[in-house]
Amino acid sequence: MTVSEIRGHHPILTPKAMGEVDRAAIQSGIDGYRLMLIAGAAISACVLEHYPEATGAIVLCGPGNNGGDGYVAARGLAEAGMPVRLYSSVDPERLKGDAATARDDWQGPIHSLADLDWRDSEIVIDALFGAGLDRPVEGAVAEAMMTVVSSELPVVAADLPSGVSGRTGEVQGVALSAEHTVTFATYKPGHFLVPGADYCGDVHLIDIGIPQREIDAHDQNLWLNTPEIWSDRIPEPKLSGHKYSKGHLGVFSGAFSHTGAARLAAHSALRAGAGLVTVLAPASAIASNAAHLTAIMLRNVSSDEDLDALLQDQRMNGFVLGPGFGVGEKTCGFARTIISTDRALVLDADGLTSFKDNAEDLFSAIADGAAPVILTPHAGEFSRLFPDLAADTELSKVDRARMAADRSGAVVLYKGADTVIAAPDGRAVINVNAPPWLATAGSGDCLAGIIGALLVQHVPAFEAAAIAAYMHGEAGMELGEGLTADDLADGILSPSVLFE
Ligand SMILES: NC(=O)C1=CN([C@@H]2O[C@H](COP(=O)(O)OP(=O)(O)OC[C@H]3O[C@@H](n4cnc5c(N)ncnc54)[C@H](OP(=O)(O)O)[C@@H]3O)[C@@H](O)[C@H]2O)[C@H](O)CC1
Ligand SMILES: [K+]
């Protein structure tokens, strides 16, 4: 199963938290070696299922329990009749606990990794490092891993591809690139955060018998962005509903030659179920917008006074500000005014960059108001608003998004192939259904519009961002490679249709 097909409620635990869960499970009476036997059996089963024709395997075992999984997997493959050659990166006598037991139960020879010979093998089982990786891989082990990389043999990884940090998804020195990764009990951030996600191939989550209560007790408020997280917040169409009950979104347009982004957002918002959408354009952009809009309304908002007048109409209950709007003090002023009136605001693109030198102003406006605010930065915009968080190499993308949400008081949707959405209260999700071809000009404008549409339908900010990211990804998958943002805006399905 590819990650985009994952359903269900999935907590994501850091390797450290997973270790605590393991220890708690074992303390509660569960046999640790039994967990390892199930883990190892799942790895050998994965190999046999996906490479049934393979005539020989090499198994690379490291110094810890990840290596222990490798010994068990080697035994499973040998018992299934596959010739196996096993290599250890350390003196096998150094193994302890369950890993030592697994080593003792392996009947075949143990070769030194320094003698690695991959000829006449067709598959590599990577059990060098998993959750315990805590520093860059160097020296002889790194060299052996480079040999495996250059062999181009398919790799099945135990828990994580060796060299990929389970906490951050960063490569520590060098990493193996797996076609399949078999992981246990819960997913780890490194399975979904780039670049780690690209090294994992298909990720298979295996229940090895750790009680759910232990996983729940260590829940870190981080989940995979699946419909199960927010399905009860999807706006339901009501028979008695009218267009205003589905909200009225205002989308600010840039000047004469910068109007397309706002229309993409507006169009997406209407598709995503907003009752009414109005493009709010400066005088210079009225004609160019009017030439392209039909179901979407248009209003001249050029000045602060125009905005004040507009805000008298309480029915316009949410705004998208930023796409194509231009960077500058006018943008900051509009954002502050909207936030002070407690209307929902999606601050995107130029709306974010405008606060580059006065991010604290934005954060204090948000703190002073009650407006639901969603910031939607890509990496460049993120580093303009939160330069210290962006520069801190110890932090994962999840950490950064969470700290940004805490600091700003806004829900932060930190874009990328691994979009992370974080709320000021600490909740976070990683979105995984976005295909690579969704990274196309105007795609972010569409996403901003979808979020706006959900906000004006009174979906709470965190769920609005999470649902929107998911809808955006689904539309991208549905439309396929080569889509343009125009196709995307046309292809958005309202959530009640998408999730019926
Ligand atoms: N999730 C579960 O329920 C189960 C998981 N299992 C498997 O166990 C591993 C985690 O095992 P652990 O022993 O904690 O860690 P590793 O095997 O990943 O690492 C072992 C040691 O390797 C050393 N290390 C770390 N980084 C490097 C490096 N860059 N170069 C060389 N050595 C490194 C470090 O030891 P030191 O003493 O040298 O610091 C690590 O402690 C998990 O991933 C699963 O595969 C269980 O089998 C079943 C239950
Ligand atoms: K591994």
Side-chain angles (χ1 to χ4, degrees):
M1 171 157 64
T2 59
V3 288
S4 62
E5 292 161 348
I6 299 170
R7 293 289 180 274
H9 187 274
H10 288 291
I12 301 172
L13 293 191
T14 59
K16 185 162 171 273
M18 189 71 240
E20 286 162 14
V21 170
D22 275 354
R23 279 189 290 282
I26 289 165
Q27 264 168 19
S28 77
I30 287 170
D31 176 6
Y33 187 50
R34 200 179 130 70
L35 298 178
M36 187 176 277
L37 289 176
I38 300 171
I43 297 161
S44 50
C46 177
V47 173
L48 294 168
E49 180 185 348
H50 294 281
Y51 307 93
E53 309 292 330
T55 53
I58 54 176
V59 180
L60 312 179
C61 294
N65 285 338
N66 196 255
D69 296 348
Y71 283 93
V72 176
R75 183 147 58 99
L77 291 174
E79 284 170 3
M82 190 181 285
V84 175
R85 219 164 37 241
L86 184 146
Y87 294 92
S88 173
S89 67
V90 292
D91 175 355
E93 289 309 312
R94 273 184 48 192
L95 267 51
K96 296 193 201 77
D98 296 331
T101 310
R103 174 207 60 205
D104 292 343
D105 285 348
W106 163 246
Q107 304 298 318
I110 302 173
H111 303 281
S112 164
L113 192 62
D115 300 329
L116 180 64
D117 178 0
W118 50 267
R119 284 165 300 179
D120 67 352
S121 288
E122 292 182 1
I123 174 92
V124 178
I125 290 82
D126 161 26
L128 287 170
F129 306 110
L133 182 82
D134 59 3
R135 55 187 184 271
V137 186
E138 292 168 340
V141 184
E143 271 172 42
M145 284 166 62
M146 291 307 294
T147 307
V148 173
V149 172
S150 58
S151 76
E152 296 185 1
L153 287 175
V155 173
V156 173
D159 201 12
L160 288 152
S162 293
V164 170
S165 161
R167 182 177 70 83
T168 65
E170 294 295 335
V171 170
Q172 305 229 267
V174 52
L176 294 180
S177 187
E179 286 188 357
H180 297 272
T181 294
V182 182
T183 194
F184 315 115
T186 71
Y187 295 111
K188 320 296 176 306
H191 293 133
F192 305 118
L193 298 178
V194 292
D198 289 329
Y199 285 80
C200 288
D202 286 355
V203 183
H204 308 268
L205 178 65
I206 305 298
D207 177 354
I208 56 173
I210 291 181
Q212 189 62 38
R213 64 170 188 279
E214 299 295 357
I215 296 171
D216 292 344
H218 291 80
D219 194 328
Q220 296 184 304
N221 266 345
L222 174 66
W223 307 282
L224 204 58
N225 191 28
T226 54
E228 285 73 11
I229 301 290
W230 33 253
S231 50
D232 57 340
R233 298 290 193 174
I234 294 169
E236 297 276 350
K238 293 190 188 69
L239 279 177
S240 60
H242 54 78
K243 60 193 179 197
Y244 280 109
S245 70
K246 294 172 72 192
H248 187 176
L249 181 72
V251 180
F252 289 93
S253 161
F256 175 68
S257 58
H258 295 92
T259 61
R263 282 197 302 278
L264 283 172
H267 197 73
S268 302
L270 206 54
R271 288 262 177 211
L276 294 162
V277 181
T278 299
V279 168
L280 308 167
S284 72
I286 292 292
S288 53
N289 273 306
H292 291 99
L293 297 175
T294 42
I296 293 163
M297 296 177 290
L298 180 61
R299 176 164 170 162
N300 177 1
V301 178
S302 298
S303 63
D304 291 340
E305 292 70 31
D306 294 338
L307 180 60
D308 289 340
L310 176 81
L311 289 166
Q312 300 304 313
D313 180 354
Q314 298 294 335
R315 290 175 302 187
M316 189 171 283
N317 57 335
F319 295 89
V320 173
L321 175 62
F325 192 70
V327 173
E329 184 43 42
K330 178 182 170 188
T331 319
C332 296
F334 274 28
R336 281 190 295 258
T337 302
I338 292 166
I339 293 168
S340 72
T341 61
D342 297 346
R343 311 294 169 80
L345 175 64
V346 182
L347 195 63
D348 184 44
D350 292 348
L352 300 164
T353 302
S354 293
F355 283 99
K356 176 179 185 302
D357 297 319
N358 51 353
E360 290 303 327
D361 269 15
L362 173 64
F363 306 156
S364 61
I366 294 171
D368 292 345
V373 179
I374 299 185
L375 310 177
T376 54
H378 56 50
E381 290 153 356
F382 189 93
S383 66
R384 284 173 212 136
L385 282 188
F386 307 100
D388 55 327
L389 302 183
D392 188 339
T393 52
E394 277 301 298
L395 300 177
S396 72
K397 184 166 180 175
V398 173
D399 299 332
R400 291 190 182 104
R402 274 187 165 145
M403 292 166 86
D406 178 58
R407 184 182 297 177
S408 65
V411 166
V412 172
L413 181 149
Y414 188 174
K415 287 178 201 169
D418 52 356
T419 293
V420 175
I421 298 141
D425 64 12
R427 285 175 298 160
V429 291
I430 307 178
N431 190 65
V432 297
N433 71 340
W437 53 86
L438 205 48
T440 184
S443 174
D445 307 326
C446 297
L447 176 61
I450 306 170
I451 303 172
L454 293 165
L455 286 174
V456 296
Q457 294 176 85
H458 305 290
V459 178
F462 176 70
E463 285 82 358
I467 297 171
Y470 192 89
M471 289 170 64
H472 190 241
E474 286 297 288
M477 284 299 284
E478 197 60 38
L479 291 160
E481 200 163 355
L483 64 80
T484 68
D486 290 305
D487 304 330
L488 191 57
D490 265 343
I492 307 289
L493 292 176
S494 88
S496 55
V497 175
L498 183 62
F499 303 115
E500 70 185 350

